[in-house]
């Protein structure tokens, strides 16, 4: 049992698995912080205390001691697996905390759970802040990107603490008050949706290059390393080169060839798409990335389908260098679409839930620490600084020009993939979205006609106001329009 601690800690962490321990160590390493730690089973606390005496942690074996070890107003960050465990810890903390104290949930919670929890905890006078934290284990330890929601008032206490542990990009800490209640977890969810799209696009680029040019994973690692010096510079491109270069110690083969080709998912990508469906926002690139993981993880269906016929013509790439450059440009254009769709969802979510989300600030705090950190996020901040009411990121001058420069390559790559029978769902859906967005006229007019035909769902006309229903018949001369106004 830990000794009954005096109130010496200015911040506490509950949940000492890898993310929680690393975040606690990060907090302890910043000047002025004394960190209280608590875990359901005391063994984990003991291990952390003995492995990191330099951190000066204040360990407690009960939640009451933990609360007593914190200076008031108490601030505690919960780092447990999102779900029922989070509710259990909140119940424990609200029982021993007092009005004015702050409970932060740093897990990957579903934002609607955060809205519910914030409302319930607020009734006790305690503040509840859902904070998205990105950057994996390494980010938690050395500086993550942090997306806190909750009240403005709680951010006054929390802001300086979070700023002290966040990643720093171009001199600025990667943290901002995103908006009230669930706004932080909502934005973290979109971050993850974009992360899924970015990863899938990179995987498609690798697959096309490998199958088209016959280059080895190590050679493709060099291609990615080279791309990482230009407009695609990002953490995900950087680690892709490292993953492709890795050799399996047991077999001597490229590790990527030894790994089972079934991608897992913990659900945040699916949430992004489910939420987008509810909001009516087409995040098709993100959706295809989620579905590509689902398809990969259907071994029985895939095994049954291996003899379905593919293209009859063999595929060869005449000029590998040109093809690789085409793929690079297609990747850049598709990535712009993924961000454009993700920001559309942020705008729609902000409107639906009444959050004042500063889009440019979100792009800024994603420049460092998080999984999607990338050079080009500065361009997004600039685009919203120029025009905060931008209706689609891809229409901003910088991105319009970037896509204009890439689109011939993009079309060639998508056509080549279709011709060669290579799945490129994220590349192709992004291009279709782009073409849909820029179309003068869409066949949606025909869909409206069909809906009115079988269900009298009505339609609008291009030449006059009002809502119309046609008395459909086989003889066109008998069709008459009825203004249902
Ligand atoms: C991050 C990551 C992280 C997340 C996984 C997504 O920002 O640090 O988004 O929070 O848990 O990367 O996991 P899956 O791929 O397993 O869904």
């Amino acid at each position: 049992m830990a000794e009954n601690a005096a109130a010496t800690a200015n911040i506490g962490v509950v949940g000492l698995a890898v993310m929680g321990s690393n975040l606690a160590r990060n907090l302890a390493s910043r000047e002025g912080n004394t960190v209280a730690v608590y875990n359901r089973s005391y063994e984990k606390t003991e291990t952390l205390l003995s492995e990191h005496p330099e951190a000066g942690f204040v360990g407690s074996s009960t939640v009451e001691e933990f609360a007593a070890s914190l200076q008031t107003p108490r601030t505690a960050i919960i780092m447990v697996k999102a779900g029922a465990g989070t509710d259990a810890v909140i119940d424990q903390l609200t029982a021993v905390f007092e009005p004015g104290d702050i409970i932060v949930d740093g897990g990957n919670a579903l934002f609607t759970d955060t809205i519910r929890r914030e409302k319930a905890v607020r009734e006790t006078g305690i503040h509840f802040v859902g904070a998205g934290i990105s950057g994996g284990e390494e980010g938690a330890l050395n500086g993550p990107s942090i997306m806190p929601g909750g009240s403005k008032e709680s951010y006054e206490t929390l802001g300086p603490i979070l700023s002290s542990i966040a990643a720093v990009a171009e001199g600025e800490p990667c943290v901002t008050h995103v908006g009230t209640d669930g706004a932080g977890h909502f934005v973290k969810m979109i971050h993850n949706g974009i992360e899924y799209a970015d990863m899938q696009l990179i995987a498609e680029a690798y697959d096309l290059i490998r199958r088209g040019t016959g280059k080895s994973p190590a050679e493709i690692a060099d291609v990615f390393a080279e791309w990482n010096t230009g407009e695609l510079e990002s953490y995900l491109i950087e680690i892709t080169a490292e993953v492709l270069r890795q050799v399996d110690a047991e077999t001597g083969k490229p590790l990527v060839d030894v790994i089972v080709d079934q991608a897992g998912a913990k659900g945040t990508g699916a949430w992004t798409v489910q939420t987008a469906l509810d909001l009516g926002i087409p995040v098709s690139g993100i959706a295809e990335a989620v579905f590509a993981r689902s398809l990969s993880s259907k071994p029985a269906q895939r095994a049954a389908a291996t003899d379905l016929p593919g293209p009859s013509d063999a595929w060869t790439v005449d000029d590998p260098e040109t093809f690789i450059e085409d793929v690079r440009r297609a990747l850049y254009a598709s990535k712009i679409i993924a961000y454009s769709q993700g920001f559309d969802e942020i705008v729609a979510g902000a409107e639906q839930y009444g959050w004042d989300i500063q889009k440019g600030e979100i792009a800024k705090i994603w420049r460092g620490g998080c999984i999607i950190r990338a050079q080009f996020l500065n361009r997004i901040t600039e685009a919203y600084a120029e025009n905060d009411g931008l209706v689609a990121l891809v229409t901003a001058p910088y991105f319009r020009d970037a896509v204009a420069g890439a689109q011939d390559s993009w079309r060639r790559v998508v056509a080549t993939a279709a011709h060669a029978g290579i799945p490129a769902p994220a590349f192709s859906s992004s291009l279709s979205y782009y073409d849909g967005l820029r179309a003068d006229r869409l066949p949606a007019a025909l869909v409206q006609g069909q809906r009115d035909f079988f269900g009298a769902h009505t339609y609008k006309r291009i030449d006059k106001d009002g809502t119309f229903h046609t008395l459909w018949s086989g003889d066109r001369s008998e069709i008459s329009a009825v203004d249902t106004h």
Side-chain angles (χ1 to χ4, degrees), residues 7-44:
T8 51
N10 62 318
I11 180 89
V13 176
V14 181
L16 302 177
V18 188
M19 287 293 286
S21 304
N22 282 3
L23 200 79
R25 287 172 57 201
N26 184 352
L27 282 160
S29 72
R30 314 291 164 162
E31 220 185 306
N33 284 342
T34 301
V35 185
V37 288
Y38 171 71
N39 193 72
R40 197 163 41 125
S41 73
Y42 189 59
E43 286 92 309
K44 272 214 169 93

Side-chain angles (χ1 to χ4, degrees), residues 55-244:
F57 289 128
V58 182
S60 298
S61 58
T62 66
V63 76
E64 290 79 10
E65 271 177 35
F66 174 72
S69 71
L70 286 163
Q71 294 162 9
T72 53
R74 299 174 185 85
T75 306
I77 306 179
I78 303 174
M79 295 297 290
V80 301
K81 192 167 172 276
T86 310
D87 285 310
V89 176
I90 293 170
D91 285 348
Q92 279 189 308
L93 290 178
T94 48
V96 291
F97 275 22
E98 292 168 319
D101 291 350
I102 303 171
I103 299 174
V104 183
D105 174 16
N108 264 336
L110 179 60
F111 75 97
T112 46
D113 284 343
T114 304
I115 292 175
R116 166 179 62 77
R117 289 168 180 150
E118 198 274 339
K119 194 163 176 265
V121 174
R122 191 173 357 117
E123 277 165 20
T124 69
I126 297 168
H127 298 281
F128 182 78
V129 175
I133 300 184
S134 177
E137 297 171 15
E138 196 266 331
L141 183 61
N142 297 318
S145 170
I146 312 178
M147 294 147 254
S151 67
K152 272 210 171 114
E153 196 187 339
S154 50
Y155 193 69
E156 275 166 30
T157 308
L158 212 51
I161 300 173
L162 297 181
S163 298
S164 75
I165 58 164
V168 175
E170 296 173 35
E172 294 174 282
C174 295
V175 58
T176 190
H177 181 233
V178 173
T180 53
D181 56 52
H185 276 142
F186 179 86
V187 164
K188 174 59 169 47
M189 176 188 78
I190 305 291
H191 165 284
N192 281 28
I194 295 172
E195 173 185 305
Y196 272 57
D198 211 346
M199 291 167 75
Q200 174 64 22
L201 290 166
I202 292 172
E204 289 176 17
Y206 150 75
D207 198 29
L208 282 160
I209 294 175
R210 187 154 185 197
R211 299 219 233 167
T213 68
K215 279 185 187 289
S216 69
E219 287 167 328
I220 302 173
D222 292 340
V223 172
F224 279 98
E226 166 67 27
W227 288 359
N228 202 36
T229 61
E231 59 196 1
L232 280 172
E233 186 194 336
S234 61
Y235 172 72
L236 284 170
I237 293 281
E238 180 193 326
I239 65 158
T240 299
E242 289 191 32
V243 172
L244 290 175

Side-chain angles (χ1 to χ4, degrees), residues 442-455 457-459 472:
L442 289 167
L446 176 58
V447 173
Q448 283 297 80
Q450 293 163 333
R451 292 178 69 238
D452 190 59
F453 186 102
F454 62 68
H457 293 299
T458 74
Y459 56 85
W472 301 90

